[in-house]
Amino acid sequence: MSDGRVNADQQQQQDLVKAPVKRSLTLLITTYVCLFVGSVASSLLAKFYFVHGGSSRWVSTWVQSAGFPLLLTLIYFPRYVFKTTTRRPFTRFTRRLVIFSVLIGFVLGFNNFLFSWGTSYLPVSTSSLLLSTQLVFTLILSVLIVKQKVTFSNLNCVVLLTLSSVLLALGSSSDKPAGLTKSKYYIGFVSTIGAGLLFALYLPVTEKLYRTVYCYAMVMEVQLVMEFSATVFATIGMAFDGGFSEMVKEANHVFTKGPTVYWTVAIFANVVTWQLCFAATSGMVYLTSGITGGICMTALLAMNVIGGVVVYGDEFGGVKIVSTVLCIWGFSSYIYGMYMKSKNGEETEGEYTGVKTTEDGGDMEVEMGKVKDDVAAADDRV
């Protein structure tokens, strides 16, 4: 009699676990689609600003984070519009969480500035491939900060993607845009590398921070604080450099496509796509890990390279072809490794590999493929 009751309880727990896990897979796919769109579009639009007469690196930095109010829709709509959760936004926010979010936000703001500096000098294809150098440092820092396990799959992927960047660096001297001095080109080269290194630190640090949050909505709340801090950093730079008055001047007298295209495409569309990219990055890190998020982002660099060639006519010679192939090869090998791990039965009943969901209040977690089941409040899911 007791055995039957135990089996019934176990079955009830499994039924309660399955629905959130399935929703997590849907959320993961949706997040990566947003990352794909945001990454490719933001890279092309960032270059669009400079190609057609924009020159302020502070303006380019500011638009990368100024869209943080858009995150309020992801934070408040689930409770007040869609009625999918009873959790009030910004609950369980500790002083420590706020402080770390603000500090990481300022680092992110400086990273955005370095990226803008590099984008202003380098072709989209070159800057995109250079950013893949962050991956090896992401793996190293993930091992040190979050105790990431090094496997053949992720190590092979990191080696291939890093090799693609090394090949690009060796053949990049002939890739300078017309009229750009060698010194400015190398400034852009070094700035882009610096942006990649800072982003390599950002991924495992945010992964560790997200281990203290309780649901996906809370991730967006932390992201809002980070982006607000990054915007403060960029706004201070804009104020001292005269960036706001320069925006008006650029729109009316400098931008070759006219003021309407300047405000709608070069500014507003940039703001939206960058926010989509950063929000999706945070979601990927939370649902999987920092190294997986970095690998997924790096895999999109091949699309950025192709986009730069198609939209802006960037040179696509032998070095970039080989680099792009290595980029695709590295990501494919990583996906294949995850597939083989799943096929070989390394998942056990009730587990889901590669997706993490932390529900309201921590009542139930599916974390990195391991189920922690306390289903007392399983009917209140985000």
Side-chain angles (χ1 to χ4, degrees), residues 95-142:
R95 180 180 300 179
R96 178 177 178 273
L97 182 61
V98 172
I99 291 174
F100 275 100
S101 298
V102 169
L103 293 177
I104 294 173
F106 280 115
V107 173
L108 183 62
F110 183 63
N111 174 80
N112 294 343
F113 178 72
L114 289 178
F115 177 82
S116 297
W117 196 279
T119 302
S120 66
Y121 289 146
L122 299 179
V124 171
S125 52
T126 302
S127 61
S128 296
L129 287 171
L130 281 176
L131 287 173
S132 66
T133 57
Q134 56 88 12
L135 201 54
V136 64
F137 296 101
T138 299
L139 179 61
I140 294 172
L141 292 173
S142 293

Side-chain angles (χ1 to χ4, degrees), residues 142-154:
S142 293
V143 171
L144 297 175
I145 297 174
V146 296
K147 311 303 180 185
Q148 170 71 44
K149 180 185 291 187
V150 179
T151 64
F152 174 78
S153 179
N154 58 34

Side-chain angles (χ1 to χ4, degrees), residues 165-289:
S165 297
V166 172
L167 287 175
L168 178 69
L170 293 176
S172 63
S173 58
S174 61
D175 196 31
K176 297 192 301 293
L180 184 66
T181 64
K182 181 179 292 188
S183 61
K184 288 184 177 180
Y185 181 80
Y186 283 120
I187 288 174
F189 200 94
V190 173
S191 296
T192 304
I193 294 292
L197 295 180
L198 276 181
F199 196 74
L201 176 63
Y202 167 81
L203 290 173
V205 168
T206 52
E207 179 186 350
K208 189 167 186 177
L209 186 66
Y210 290 155
R211 290 180 177 180
T212 66
V213 305
Y214 301 97
C215 59
Y216 194 90
M218 197 170 180
V219 173
M220 295 298 104
E221 295 161 8
V222 172
Q223 183 67 18
L224 178 71
V225 177
M226 290 182 187
E227 295 293 338
F228 173 77
S229 300
T231 304
V232 170
F233 173 87
T235 302
I236 293 173
M238 288 268 285
F240 278 97
D241 197 47
F244 291 105
S245 59
E246 189 170 350
M247 289 174 70
V248 177
K249 179 182 177 181
E250 284 182 343
N252 296 327
H253 306 291
V254 178
F255 201 69
T256 59
K257 295 293 184 178
T260 301
V261 175
Y262 180 86
W263 292 113
T264 57
V265 179
I267 301 299
F268 179 74
N270 246 320
V271 167
V272 173
T273 54
W274 274 115
Q275 203 54 232
L276 184 65
C277 179
F278 281 124
T281 300
S282 293
M284 286 296 297
V285 172
Y286 173 71
L287 292 172
T288 57
S289 65

